[in-house]
Amino acid sequence: MNYKVSEEMSVMEKLGILTDAAKYDVACTSSGVDRKGSGSGMGNTVAGGICHSFSADGRCISLLKILFTNECIYDCKYCINRKSNDVVRTSFTPDEVCELTMGFYKRNYIEGLFLSSGILYNPDFTMELIYQTLYKLRREHRFQGYIHVKAIPGADPFLIQKTGLLADRMSVNLELPTAEGLSRLAPNKHRKNILAPMRQIQNGIKSSKNEIVLYKNAPRFVPAGQSTQLIVGATPENDYQLMTVAENLYEKFELKRVFYSAFVNVNEDKELPALPGGPPLLREHRLYQADWLLRFYGFKAGELLSEARPNFNILLDPKADWALRHLEMFPVEVNRADYQLLLRIPGIGVKSAQRIVMARRSSFLSFPDLKKIGVVLKRALYFITCNGKMMYNTKIEEDYITRNLLTVKEKLPFDKDGITYKQLSLFDDVGFTMQPNIIDTHKAVLGQM
Amino acid sequence: MEEKYLICEDSLEGIFTGIYKAYSLKEDHSRLHIQIGEEENLRLFAEYIPIVPDAGTAVRVSRTIQRELGEETYISICRALASMDKQKGEAVYKTVVCGLQMQNGRQVMGNLTNPYVHKVFELNRGTNNEVLHLMGFLRFQELENGILFSKIGPKNNILTFLAPHFADRLSLLNFVIYDDIRGIFVVHPASKDWYLVTNAEIDSEMMENYSREELEYQELFTYFCHKIAIKERKNLNLQRSMLPLRFQEYMVEFRK
């Protein structure tokens, strides 16, 4: 093979550089496919996925997430590996990737491999290298664990097809939600080129499922489905645009997951926003919450946001926010409401809704019962009745409930902001039309604004 | 009437034998209780009956549970009994009573308004969560003789729930998982069935004789974990809440 490999570099150094270069891709799940070990190789997969460790940023480490190479012919402004950056470049060899994966896997460090890559020479060449790596791993090393691999936009569909038969999950990153944003920040990428492999994978998954019905042992194409990633906060798109794009991806492309990645400014490019308050973590968090509502709670993007209200409320989670705007539907009688309606009550999640449906078969549920089942009563109590009675004498009134919900501190996954939002709830104004960032809220609290 | 306490051994066998005995007394179940291990606070007006575990009786009880309450309930009960909780015997006993009184016993675990069923539900969830955690957090170290060795310190007695997962995953390899708290082992010889070993001495010298590559891999992975973190998002509280310190203690990447 005649691609550039710095011979003198150790695997340790390469691992450092190519992990560093891959870490901004957020898709690190190992879920979506259940596969028992065959007894003739190493590995199996578990439908729910397994987290093997957590890094210092609190993100799960499930897969050996690396780039095959950080050499790249493209110059995307947000990317650390763009060709105009002066960084050390290196590449793994397929054998090195295989050995690392096997060595890590048998020690139970990882659930499998996540292989992405910069574009070396051209998309076809890169895709071929990825394919060869996967082929070695699956056929020579008989690895049966999880593999997530990138489909390189612009690569020969035949190569993508071959690779998909060896991988569990494939992804093509949309990166920016609008064609306009993409052409501004990623001048070498075109929306058309990104959507084409996405459609190909979708069709591949469909026809593979049909084949499996006919021939039980037909090879499976991308059995864990495909995913994509959207960068949040690098371009001025609002939450409504992001959610609409995500909804379309779920409905029209049948994606398994859309990941949101709070933009981290690594390049200080003039086209990119300065983020003195750090990456927009709260915004990312709200988008994930809303994404869950789309996938598991039967919500539509249009119910959560609109042209007139294009951004999520920073103070309330999207479901509570929705409920407050639809008080005419509440209170709901927990002992009778159907499952879909239960899911719309703040403080009741998928699991507690399922348990309620199960438990009320054998007896009427009371408030203490709900608490045992896992309902967060502090949030739910304004929206429910048990046997016709509310828990306390509360008013069904937007301002009143909002005030009370805000006193229950929301559990956010990042600690440094908690205090700020608590303080902010002193102001009763929740109708922000512009999304204040973390710095704004700090300033507001400190009286600088 | 006085209350009766059946003192059972802390094992599946012990508690199932206790349940059998409780039924054979033909008394009101509300006055009968199962207690694990030695009686702590003796009550006045209570009778204490020691139960000798009996394998045959236990098997009959387990068959009845599987038949009447379903396989899923049975697994929930087994997981609850692997918990370190001391009230588990009583909770399981009363859950079985509740299930056998229901028209469809297979729905017993949905009856969460019953405090005993709820207890079993919680214990089952606790054990199961720990199994799921350790499926990821467990670390193998390769010894000089090629065996993969792992030491864990679980709260609950979960080895038997953990072993099938690794036996399926690493079926061609020899591995040993050691429960540091209870002093029991799971041994998996390559391409054979796994088995439990109790009352065995651990050869600590052998366990520190690593293979040639072992330390290099540990270093590689530690470096990987370091590099994969995004410093702009650093959040040690989140890390700790996702991966509690009691697990970190046994993990190579957190070793200082």
Side-chain angles (χ1 to χ4, degrees):
Chain A
M1 251 174 278
N2 58 344
Y3 55 92
K4 282 187 271 179
V5 182
S6 349
E7 294 293 343
E8 67 284 3
M9 214 180 263
S10 71
V11 172
M12 179 75 91
E13 284 169 292
K14 287 186 185 181
L15 181 67
I17 293 165
L18 294 169
T19 303
D20 227 359
K23 69 183 172 194
Y24 299 102
D25 202 304
V26 286
C28 191
T29 55
S30 51
S31 55
V33 57
D34 233 336
R35 181 172 58 230
K36 287 262 165 243
S38 69
S40 64
M42 192 197 294
N44 59 16
T45 60
V46 176
I50 297 177
C51 294
H52 283 258
S53 194
F54 286 85
S55 53
D57 49 22
R59 298 188 309 158
C60 147
I61 297 174
S62 178
L63 304 171
L64 170 63
K65 182 160 59 181
I66 45 173
L67 293 193
F68 189 85
T69 172
N70 65 342
E71 305 222 22
C72 196
I73 54 169
Y74 291 162
D75 202 30
C76 306
K77 300 208 160 49
Y78 51 81
C79 180
I80 185 92
N81 306 312
R82 61 178 180 174
K83 79 169 177 221
S84 56
N85 273 11
D86 182 21
V87 295
V88 184
R89 306 280 171 173
T90 187
S91 298
F92 279 123
T93 63
D95 285 322
E96 285 169 339
V97 174
C98 291
E99 257 148 52
L100 272 177
T101 308
M102 297 306 283
F104 278 15
Y105 192 81
K106 76 172 175 191
R107 290 174 175 79
N108 206 38
Y109 296 165
I110 53 167
E111 201 49 22
L113 174 67
F114 174 107
L115 192 61
S116 179
S117 183
I119 312 297
L120 183 60
Y121 303 142
N122 59 56
D124 280 350
F125 188 84
T126 316
M127 200 69 224
E128 176 69 36
L129 279 176
I130 291 180
Y131 168 72
Q132 281 177 13
T133 311
L134 261 56
Y135 186 87
K136 265 189 189 276
L137 196 54
R138 287 284 196 224
R139 296 288 143 79
E140 287 174 24
H141 296 265
R142 308 198 68 82
F143 177 70
Q144 290 153 8
Y146 199 88
I147 298 181
H148 178 155
V149 73
K150 290 277 163 202
I152 307 292
D156 183 347
F158 179 63
L159 278 173
I160 293 180
Q161 172 70 22
K162 281 204 300 185
T163 312
L165 288 169
L166 299 173
D168 288 299
R169 172 166 287 180
M170 266 183 129
S171 59
V172 194
N173 281 355
L174 200 54
E175 306 292 15
L176 297 158
T178 57
E180 189 196 341
L182 195 68
S183 64
R184 196 154 70 88
L185 294 189
N188 314 91
K189 287 189 182 168
H190 302 285
R191 203 176 172 82
K192 203 176 68 204
N193 284 356
I194 296 175
L195 295 180
M198 224 182 237
R199 185 66 81 195
Q200 189 202 336
I201 296 167
Q202 178 193 17
N203 292 335
I205 294 172
K206 259 194 208 159
S207 57
S208 165
K209 275 186 188 149
N210 292 336
E211 277 168 34
I212 301 264
V213 177
L214 282 176
Y215 318 101
K216 212 176 130 234
N217 294 323
R220 300 183 71 190
F221 181 83
V222 193
Q226 69 167 324
S227 66
T228 192
Q229 151 173 315
L230 295 170
I231 302 175
V232 178
T235 42
E237 285 96 358
N238 57 39
D239 294 344
Y240 183 52
Q241 283 171 301
L242 279 160
M243 282 332 288
T244 314
V245 170
E247 190 171 46
N248 271 319
L249 289 171
Y250 286 130
E251 283 172 4
K252 305 218 171 92
F253 287 86
E254 298 171 88
L255 255 61
K256 201 89 180 195
R257 283 293 296 271
V258 175
F259 292 94
Y260 307 88
S261 167
F263 174 59
V264 181
N265 196 341
V266 286
N267 288 336
E268 310 288 334
D269 193 284
K270 66 178 189 329
E271 289 285 331
L272 297 169
L275 295 166
L281 295 180
L282 179 64
R283 193 174 170 206
E284 180 194 274
H285 181 61
R286 291 281 180 255
L287 285 165
Y288 273 117
Q289 287 177 316
D291 188 81
W292 242 255
L293 295 182
L294 294 188
R295 289 188 296 136
F296 303 116
Y297 290 75
F299 278 88
K300 295 274 168 216
E303 289 179 277
L304 300 170
L305 297 168
S306 62
E307 295 284 356
R309 289 183 71 264
N311 288 311
F312 288 113
N313 192 331
I314 59 156
L315 298 171
L316 287 168
D317 66 89
K319 194 168 143 188
D321 196 45
W322 174 87
L324 284 167
R325 282 181 284 117
H326 293 85
L327 286 177
E328 72 283 355
M329 298 179 65
F330 297 102
V332 166
E333 171 55 50
V334 178
N335 282 295
R336 271 194 304 273
D338 67 35
Y339 176 69
Q340 288 302 325
L341 186 55
L342 287 175
L343 282 180
R344 298 216 158 201
I345 302 168
I348 296 184
V350 174
K351 277 198 176 151
S352 42
Q354 288 168 348
R355 284 180 204 142
I356 288 173
V357 173
M358 207 163 60
R360 68 188 181 188
R361 280 192 211 138
S362 35
S363 63
F364 258 112
L365 300 178
S366 64
F367 285 102
D369 292 335
L370 291 181
K371 196 179 165 114
K372 271 198 229 161
I373 281 172
V375 173
V376 186
L377 281 180
K378 277 187 281 188
R379 304 170 67 73
L381 71 93
Y382 307 98
F383 304 98
I384 54 171
T385 56
C386 277
N387 300 327
K389 285 202 191 91
M390 295 197 72
M391 190 165 166
Y392 304 121
N393 188 13
T394 54
K395 292 179 266 187
I396 306 274
E397 192 188 282
E398 188 174 342
D399 287 352
Y400 170 81
I401 300 177
T402 308
R403 230 177 5 254
N404 281 293
L405 282 182
L406 288 175
T407 57
V408 183
K409 203 175 149 199
E410 188 189 356
K411 224 170 125 186
L412 290 170
F414 34 92
D415 49 349
K416 60 183 178 197
D417 305 309
I419 303 161
T420 346
Y421 297 115
K422 180 86 177 156
Q423 297 283 334
L424 250 185
S425 67
L426 292 171
F427 313 108
D428 250 342
D429 183 8
V430 289
F432 292 120
T433 47
M434 242 181 61
Q435 181 96 6
N437 58 30
I438 290 159
I439 284 292
D440 289 338
T441 55
H442 274 293
K443 280 185 179 162
V445 170
L446 297 171
Q448 296 168 345
M449 206 160 81
Chain B
M1 271 268 285
E2 70 181 0
E3 311 251 319
K4 285 186 180 154
Y5 284 83
L6 309 177
I7 312 295
C8 299
E9 183 193 271
D10 185 358
S11 69
L12 210 70
E13 212 174 275
I15 290 159
F16 282 176
T17 312
I19 292 174
Y20 185 86
K21 177 78 180 166
Y23 269 89
S24 64
L25 286 174
K26 293 197 171 24
E27 285 180 34
D28 188 349
H29 287 298
S30 64
R31 288 208 191 80
L32 295 173
H33 307 281
I34 284 187
Q35 188 173 308
I36 291 168
E38 294 301 303
E39 60 265 50
E40 287 150 19
N41 296 313
L42 287 175
R43 290 164 197 245
L44 218 51
F45 309 116
E47 188 186 341
Y48 289 86
I49 308 167
I51 302 293
V52 184
D54 176 71
T57 318
V59 167
R60 287 174 68 184
V61 172
S62 80
R63 284 212 190 108
T64 308
I65 295 176
Q66 287 174 69
R67 191 180 60 239
E68 299 296 324
L69 311 184
E71 196 61 36
E72 225 171 292
T73 310
Y74 178 68
I75 293 171
S76 298
I77 284 175
C78 291
R79 285 210 202 94
L81 288 179
S83 160
M84 58 165 185
D85 190 284
K86 286 290 162 207
Q87 303 300 316
K88 61 189 177 183
E90 175 78 351
V92 165
Y93 163 42
K94 296 293 159 77
T95 298
V96 171
V97 170
C98 171
L100 292 179
Q101 283 168 353
M102 281 168 68
Q103 226 166 36
N104 182 358
R106 287 168 187 266
Q107 287 180 5
V108 64
M109 288 314 294
N111 194 357
L112 290 174
T113 53
N114 178 313
Y116 298 107
V117 174
H118 184 253
K119 181 89 185 175
V120 170
F121 164 81
E122 275 195 330
L123 296 178
N124 166 40
R125 185 173 55 183
T127 308
N128 200 31
N129 282 346
E130 196 170 34
V131 173
L132 295 177
H133 272 139
L134 278 168
M135 277 161 71
F137 299 156
L138 177 150
R139 296 286 174 267
F140 283 113
Q141 313 201 45
E142 195 179 52
L143 305 180
E144 212 177 7
N145 53 16
I147 293 175
L148 292 171
F149 176 73
S150 170
K151 187 159 88 172
I152 54 173
K155 275 187 188 166
N156 307 304
N157 189 5
I158 57 158
L159 267 191
T160 45
F161 299 101
L162 204 56
H165 169 75
F166 287 105
D168 181 61
R169 169 163 292 199
L170 307 174
S171 58
L172 299 181
L173 301 177
N174 296 305
F175 68 79
V176 174
I177 305 173
Y178 174 61
D179 182 334
D180 197 20
I181 311 285
R182 293 163 192 81
I184 48 179
F185 299 82
V186 153
V187 178
H188 176 270
S191 303
K192 294 207 180 88
D193 286 337
W194 60 273
Y195 55 91
L196 266 183
V197 177
T198 47
N199 305 324
E201 275 297 305
I202 181 168
D203 181 353
S204 51
E205 203 172 300
M206 191 179 89
M207 300 312 167
E208 275 156 28
N209 257 337
Y210 296 134
S211 72
R212 196 170 43 81
E213 291 175 327
E214 178 55 30
L215 291 176
E216 192 186 327
Y217 270 104
Q218 293 187 11
E219 207 180 323
L220 277 167
F221 185 57
T222 309
Y223 190 49
F224 172 76
C225 292
H226 168 71
K227 279 289 181 185
I228 201 83
I230 297 178
K231 67 175 191 308
E232 288 87 345
R233 301 182 63 124
K234 188 171 174 184
N235 188 342
L236 293 177
N237 277 350
L238 182 58
Q239 183 189 32
R240 211 167 307 135
S241 73
M242 301 309 286
L243 176 42
L245 292 171
R246 70 183 178 95
F247 293 113
Q248 292 186 18
E249 218 180 293
Y250 293 91
M251 297 166 79
V252 291
E253 67 268 35
F254 292 99
R255 212 166 276 166
K256 294 281 148 39

